[in-house]
Amino acid sequence: MVLAIVLPVVALWYGGAVINVITAKHIFGRVGDYVWTLTLCQMTINQICARIYLGRLKPLTRDQRRLAFLGGLTTYLGFICTNKAFSLMNPSLVETVKASEPVAGTIISSLATREGWPSFLIVRALAVVVAGVMMASYHNASFVLFGLVCTLGSNALFSCGNVCSKLNHELAEPLDGMAYWYADVSYGIWFALILALWEIKTLLSGDVDLEDLQAALPLVIVNGIAFWTYNSMMYVVTKYVEFATFSVLNTTRRAVMITVTMLYFSQECTMTNLVGLLITGFGFLLFIREKVRESNAPHHSNHDQASKEA
């Protein structure tokens, strides 16, 4: 039953993430790297889509507001650290380090949620997937210590945001995943506005041709809808799976995005990248095998118990 829910949600999550990345690259190619302005547009369209889908919402409880605010703050601080890292180091090196995000997420989740530490076999599969994605991301190094600190900081911050989503499902009155993401962005959008003001001023001063802005507008709308789809689906998934499983799925998403963008933009794929993708696939198979074994364990246990009673 859970698998029937999770599979289509994961498909929407991965598909939305791929469309979001591809359209963002096209937008930046037309108007320049207005990162904060695009983020503000994404969050604005996100809120419009969410309100249309969710309709009228009940007022949030105190605990719901706390988690949504903390999630919004940590997620947006994660964006700041990530963008700063991209400005200091080669993007492939940033993505390589960001692939280690599940390490921070697993530690924080084990300390903050009721799930505790995952089994050794799940951690092993996760480690293989992370190693594979790091190899798949890597092209060349441009190491800067502060850039490394920013990237590791973004890993911790995004992990905190994801853990907040998991903690939401442990509340006495939890929000569903899509309502939680809407509440999260309701706070995060104000941080986005503050950082986008300078870029908006530059845009209004005529720094970008009007024709380019008009051409980019449909892409911005598609990008915003994809942003809402993949983020809301990501938070829906956290309701149905353990955090370690979520980490594997989230890291595998990176491998899917790397593969699709390499094919779409005809990017060079080195032997290291190819081996990394193969290792990622192997790690994901290890993970699937372990989850199947775990799901069958209660069945065998109940069968053995029934045999003893008989």
Side-chain angles (χ1 to χ4, degrees):
M1 180 63 181
V2 171
L3 190 62
I5 297 171
V6 170
L7 283 179
V9 171
V10 170
L12 287 170
W13 175 17
Y14 284 18
V18 168
I19 294 170
N20 182 72
V21 168
I22 290 174
T23 52
K25 285 184 178 291
H26 282 303
I27 292 165
F28 291 144
R30 282 190 173 275
V31 301
D33 293 337
Y34 287 90
V35 177
W36 303 118
T37 304
L38 178 61
T39 304
L40 178 62
C41 291
Q42 288 172 333
M43 289 186 165
T44 302
I45 295 170
N46 180 96
Q47 297 306 79
I48 294 170
C49 292
R51 285 310 298 263
I52 292 172
Y53 177 83
L54 296 169
R56 186 169 180 174
L57 296 169
K58 296 189 298 183
L60 300 184
T61 66
R62 185 179 178 183
D63 289 336
Q64 290 171 346
R65 283 199 305 272
R66 278 181 180 173
L67 283 177
F69 175 77
L70 184 59
L73 177 62
T74 53
T75 299
Y76 208 74
L77 289 175
F79 282 132
I80 294 173
C81 289
T82 299
N83 288 324
K84 185 61 179 176
F86 277 125
S87 72
L88 294 171
M89 298 194 301
N90 185 283
S92 68
L93 184 58
V94 175
E95 289 294 344
T96 301
V97 178
K98 279 189 68 61
S100 66
E101 182 182 317
V103 177
T106 301
I107 294 171
I108 294 169
S109 174
S110 66
L111 295 173
T113 70
R114 299 171 189 165
E115 292 179 359
W117 195 261
S119 69
F120 167 75
L121 293 176
I122 291 293
V123 172
R124 182 186 67 177
L126 178 58
V128 174
V129 170
V130 167
V133 173
M134 291 179 76
M135 290 177 66
S137 304
Y138 182 81
H139 282 280
N140 57 75
S142 56
F143 179 80
V144 177
L145 180 59
F146 185 58
L148 178 64
V149 171
C150 287
T151 308
L152 292 174
S154 76
N155 285 353
L157 288 163
F158 281 129
S159 295
C160 286
N162 293 333
V163 169
C164 284
S165 170
K166 191 66 182 177
L167 288 172
N168 163 66
H169 295 301
E170 294 181 358
L171 293 176
E173 297 180 60
L175 292 167
D176 69 64
M178 301 187 80
Y180 174 82
W181 175 239
Y182 171 79
D184 185 309
V185 177
S186 296
Y187 291 107
I189 196 169
W190 296 106
F191 302 119
L193 178 61
I194 292 169
L195 291 172
L197 284 175
W198 179 259
E199 287 186 352
I200 293 172
K201 181 181 177 182
T202 305
L203 278 171
L204 294 176
S205 67
D207 190 55
V208 179
D209 291 338
L210 182 60
E211 290 183 1
D212 288 332
L213 286 175
Q214 290 174 337
L217 182 59
L219 289 173
V220 171
I221 294 172
V222 173
N223 179 267
I225 294 171
F227 177 84
W228 169 66
T229 301
Y230 98 79
N231 279 291
S232 56
M233 291 301 103
M234 179 174 70
Y235 285 124
V236 168
V237 165
T238 60
K239 176 181 179 180
Y240 297 100
V241 300
E242 296 174 348
F243 196 84
T245 301
F246 168 79
S247 295
V248 172
L249 293 173
N250 196 25
T251 309
T252 305
R253 172 186 61 85
R254 288 186 179 278
V256 171
M257 288 173 60
I258 289 166
T259 304
V260 173
T261 52
M262 276 183 176
L263 293 172
Y264 183 86
F265 293 107
S266 301
Q267 295 173 341
E268 179 187 2
C269 181
T270 66
M271 183 57 69
T272 301
N273 302 146
L274 185 58
V275 171
L277 291 172
L278 291 173
I279 290 173
T280 301
F282 175 69
F284 191 69
L285 289 175
L286 284 178
F287 165 74
I288 293 295
R289 188 180 71 173
E290 175 57 16
K291 294 305 290 184
V292 170
R293 189 192 67 79
E294 285 184 359
S295 65
N296 289 336
H299 172 74
H300 289 305
S301 177
N302 292 337
H303 179 74
D304 293 343
Q305 183 67 27
S307 299
K308 289 178 181 178
E309 290 176 357

